[in-house]
Amino acid sequence: MEGDSKSRIRLSNEANILRAAEHVFARAGFVGATMAEIAECAHIPKSNLHYYFKSKKAIYRAVLANILSLWLAQTDSIHEDNDPRTALTDYIRAKMQLSVTHPDASRVFANEILHGAPEIGDYLREDLRQLVERKAEVIEHWIAQGKMMPVDPKYLFFTIWAATQTYADFDTQICAVLGVQALDAQQMHKATEHLTELLLCGCGIAH
Amino acid sequence: MEGDSKSRIRLSNEANILRAAEHVFARAGFVGATMAEIAECAHIPKSNLHYYFKSKKAIYRAVLANILSLWLAQTDSIHEDNDPRTALTDYIRAKMQLSVTHPDASRVFANEILHGAPEIGDYLREDLRQLVERKAEVIEHWIAQGKMMPVDPKYLFFTIWAATQTYADFDTQICAVLGVQALDAQQMHKATEHLTELLLCGCGIAH
DNA sequence: TATAATCTTGACCAAATGGTCAGCTTTTAC
DNA sequence: GTAAAAGCTGACCATTTGGTCAAGATTATA
C-alpha cells in the first residue's frame, strides 16, 4: 500500500486539499477551476498545493479516484438472492442518497463525462462495463423467472443513473422550475418516492 | 426586428461562427473553449470573430439563445385535447430526437446548468417555470379524469428530461458500457422504445 | 466608375494562470 | 538536545488567452 508511509500531516492536508478541489471542480469544471481558488478554499497558500500534488491534473485525478470508489460501492443490493422490488428500491434510494450527500462528487463526475471522459474513459470501458454486465445478468435472471417485465437491463441502468443524478447535476434547473432556492430533505424524499414508484411500476413490479 | 439590416455576408458568417462555437463549447465548456479553437473550426482568422461578436461571452450567449428557442418548441404535444398516451409518446420521442439531431446543443445546455446556469438562470426561473406550470396542469387534468396514475407532473418532467438528454450529454459513458464507439440509429431507436414503454407503464398508461 | 460602407487580418498587448524554487520553519528520530 | 527530514511560502517566470487596432481588401451604392 502507498498509504503506509504517509505522515499524519500529509494525510490530513491531502484530504483537505481534495475536499476543496472537489468543491471547486464541481463549480467550474477542470479548466475553469484555478489553483488559486482551490488554495483559497483549502485555506493554504497556492505553493503548498504543489508540495502535495505535482500538478492540477494530479489533483483532479485524485478527486476522480475518490469519486469512483464511492460509485463502485453502490450496486450491492442487486444480486440474485434479493427480490427485484427490494433490490431496485434500495438501489434507487442509494443513488438518490448520493445526490444528497455528495452533490459535488456527482457534478465533477458529470462534467468529466460531458467532456468525453478524458481521464476516466478506461475505467468506464473496463470496470464499469464489467460491473454492468454482471448486474444485467441478475436482472435478466429475474425477468426469466417472471418477476419483472422484460426490460433491457442496461438501458434501465442508464435511466436510473440519469434520473437520480439529475437532482445533483442539474439542481439549478430543478430549483428554478420548483421556484425554490435549494432542494430540501422533504423535496428529495418526494423525488425518491416518485422515482421509485414510476420505475418499479414501469418494470412491472407491483407496489 | 434586428435581423432586417444584416447583410448577406454578415448573416452567413454569424451562422458559421455560431455553428463552430456550439461545437467547441460542447466539447470544452465555456471556459475551456478558446477563441482560437472556434476560429479554426469556423475557418476564419481569430480577429474576424471580434468583428462579428463583441466578446467570447457574446458568442456564448448567442449560442444559448439558439438552443433555448429549440427547447421551447418541444412541448406542443402536451395539451388537453390529446390523450396522455399519444402526448407523452410524442414528447419522449421528440426529446430523444433532439439528442440525436442536436447533441452539441444538449451538451452546451447541460454544461451551462451544471455550472449553475449563470447566463440562463433568469430564463429558467421565468419562461421555463411558467411553461412547466402550464403543462403540469394539463397532466393533473388527465390524472383527475383517471387517464393516468397519480404522478407529480413536475417530477415526471425532470425524469423525462434526464432520461432523454443523457443519451446526448453522457453518451461517452453509454458507449463505454455498451462497448461501442458511437450510438447508431438502431440503438437510439431501441433506447426510445425502452424509455417510452418504461415511463408510460410507470404512469399507468397501458401499452 | 467613384466612393462610401463593410469586411478581413496580422501584429500586438495586458491580464491571468499553472508551475518553480530557494530559503525558511516545524516536526520527527535517535 | 541535535541533526535530518518534512512541511511551508513569497517571489518569480513562461505561456496562454481574450481582446485591440490600424491598415488593407472587398463589396455595395450612386
Side-chain angles (χ1 to χ4, degrees), chain B residues 7 9-10 13 45 47-48 51-52:
Chain B
S7 78
I9 293 179
R10 186 169 203 97
N13 285 354
S47 316
N48 214 347
Y51 177 73
Y52 288 105

Side-chain angles (χ1 to χ4, degrees), chain A residues 98-196:
Chain A
L98 267 191
S99 284
V100 174
T101 58
H102 296 79
D104 281 340
S106 185
R107 288 181 199 122
V108 173
F109 185 78
N111 195 72
E112 163 73 7
I113 295 181
L114 187 55
H115 295 353
E119 296 300 326
I120 63 169
D122 287 343
Y123 162 85
L124 297 180
R125 280 181 290 270
E126 289 161 26
D127 302 42
L128 181 65
R129 186 184 172 192
Q130 284 173 24
L131 182 70
V132 171
E133 204 80 49
R134 253 181 294 132
K135 298 302 178 181
E137 280 176 24
V138 175
I139 293 180
E140 294 283 16
H141 192 70
W142 286 333
I143 293 173
Q145 291 180 310
K147 293 179 176 175
M148 294 174 55
M149 280 183 57
V151 298
D152 188 308
K154 288 177 187 172
Y155 290 87
L156 177 60
F157 275 116
F158 301 154
T159 302
I160 294 176
W161 296 342
T164 54
Q165 290 172 14
T166 198
Y167 289 95
D169 304 342
F170 302 138
D171 73 322
T172 305
Q173 186 180 26
I174 289 171
C175 285
V177 168
L178 292 180
V180 298
Q181 278 282 323
L183 295 170
D184 59 27
Q186 194 190 342
Q187 278 151 344
M188 288 304 288
H189 178 73
K190 190 171 170 187
T192 306
E193 293 298 304
H194 167 272
L195 200 57
T196 308

Side-chain angles (χ1 to χ4, degrees), chain B residues 156-175:
Chain B
L156 178 62
F157 276 116
F158 301 154
T159 301
I160 293 176
W161 296 342
T164 53
Q165 290 172 14
T166 198
Y167 289 96
D169 304 341
F170 302 138
D171 73 324
T172 304
Q173 186 181 25
I174 288 172
C175 286

Side-chain angles (χ1 to χ4, degrees), chain A residues 7 10 13 45 47-48 51-52:
Chain A
S7 76
R10 186 168 204 99
N13 284 357
S47 317
N48 213 348
Y51 178 74
Y52 288 104

Side-chain angles (χ1 to χ4, degrees), chain B residues 82-100:
Chain B
N82 269 347
D83 70 299
R85 183 151 70 118
T86 312
L88 289 180
T89 302
D90 287 356
Y91 183 58
I92 293 169
R93 198 158 292 175
K95 272 286 175 190
M96 282 296 274
Q97 205 53 32
L98 266 190
S99 285
V100 173

